[in-house]
Amino acid sequence: MAKLSAQQVEYVAKLAHLSLAPSEVALYQDQLSRILEYVGKLGQMNTKKVAPTYQLIDNLANITRADTAKPPLTPTQALSGTKTTHNGYIVTQPILNQ
Amino acid sequence: MNLNAVITPVDKTKQVGHKDLFLTQGVKTTAGAKVLHNFIPPYSATVVIRLEHQDLDTAAKLNCDAWAHGSSGENSDFGPALNPWNPNYTPGGSSSGSAAAVAAGLVEFATGTDTGGSIRLPASFCGVTGLKPTYGAVSRYGIIAMASSLDCPGLLTRDVSTCRRLFPLIAGKDELDAISQDPPITYPSKTKLKIGLPKEYFISGIDPQVNQAVKQAAQALASQGHRLVDISLPHTQYSVAVYYLIQTAEVASNLARYDGIRYGRTREHFGAEAKRRIMLGTFALSAGYQDKYYEQAARVRTLIIQDFDRAFRQVDVILAPVSPTPPFKLGEKIADPLTMYLSDILTIPANLAGIPALAFPCGFTPGNLPIGLQLMGPRWSEEILFNLGETYQSLTNWHLQKPKL
């Protein structure tokens, strides 16, 4: 495939919640294009009659366990990794305006 | 010599080095990444707890490529670990600190994770034994996820016997990891095995020193009455392409949870390789490209699995090099991601198929750098691999060599 455009790289970065410096955009344009060219060789293969493999364990169904309570993390433990808490809750960025 | 194998020292009197991907309650766990530079987990991985129940406690948290992304240890956000046989060379990755620490005798044994070769490659580069178990044999609970359809926690030890002794302690069903299982079958122990040598693993691109050392090891096993059989795994050449689509798609998904809100720092702190893989995986899954890239890779993955299925109707185990080359120098491949990715061409197929593989040393280069081979078997055939590995180590003393530090 043709080299990725700067716009394509910026679009993918936006999807992935990454902010890239202009120099990174240029670097990834180049590196990702080369990698995509390499992996593009899979496109030459006829796989119409081949089922895809998404995961390897196919003998698992209806897995159950005893419905017994176990000691959970304490609130202090559960909040130990976060910098800003409020009344025992984790403070996040707002996702709605008003 | 400081090998930079350790990120967090814990207790020198203890036995176990844990790759810093394994959560250890109350002990900093970074995944080799600055996003988690001061993350203190409130619970431990199942593997860590199972070892503690046997009084095998944490000696140190070990360096690795950040998020286990890498083949050399150089993607660690805390600087590369060095190869104890020669500090100008990489110890292999991503379980770089695990292999270096075991080889240097800093720990009795170490844990690692193998998603595309990350236990076997460093084991090979550092002259130690490394087990990538059957997918699902060891619980992934509490281990920072890389690519969930491929991740296999395992062990790095000084010899096969130690690995065999420790493996049952960490293996088996864990209700906290839905894909973990007890072995559903037991392989009958045969005294004489058919050992397959796949021609695709001995092509001209393989370093002649590696080729020769691995073939000599095969002859040593043949001298014990095992039979060598030439086989073919025809889709091997596609394994890196398949892997770098499936793995990066799963990486993009698994690393989406790092938002800096509940723990860790924000996404601005991701290193170059993590960003590269997130970008590649996001692209491979994005609208308009998913069928062409991710779906096609999942289909070719099936062909690679079928290669192994056919081979294991013909032979009991497969013997092959771990790496196409002996250890390479620090800096040699870091500027060229694609060349670095190709280091894993001989280890990736076992991950795509979910089969176990055991790596151990089989010689040294004239420059005194270790060379490793790997045995691959059908799912749940670890005992066969251990038997054959122990036989080889009873005939040779490569595994007894120690680096001068």
Side-chain angles (χ1 to χ4, degrees), chain B residues 339-360:
Chain B
T339 305
M340 185 73 91
Y341 295 171
L342 289 167
S343 311
D344 293 334
I345 187 161
L346 306 182
T347 48
I348 282 171
N351 296 84
L352 292 173
I355 60 173
L358 180 68
F360 48 84

Side-chain angles (χ1 to χ4, degrees), chain B residues 232-243:
Chain B
S232 175
L233 297 165
H235 295 94
T236 302
Q237 59 163 313
Y238 299 107
S239 61
V240 174
V242 169
Y243 177 78

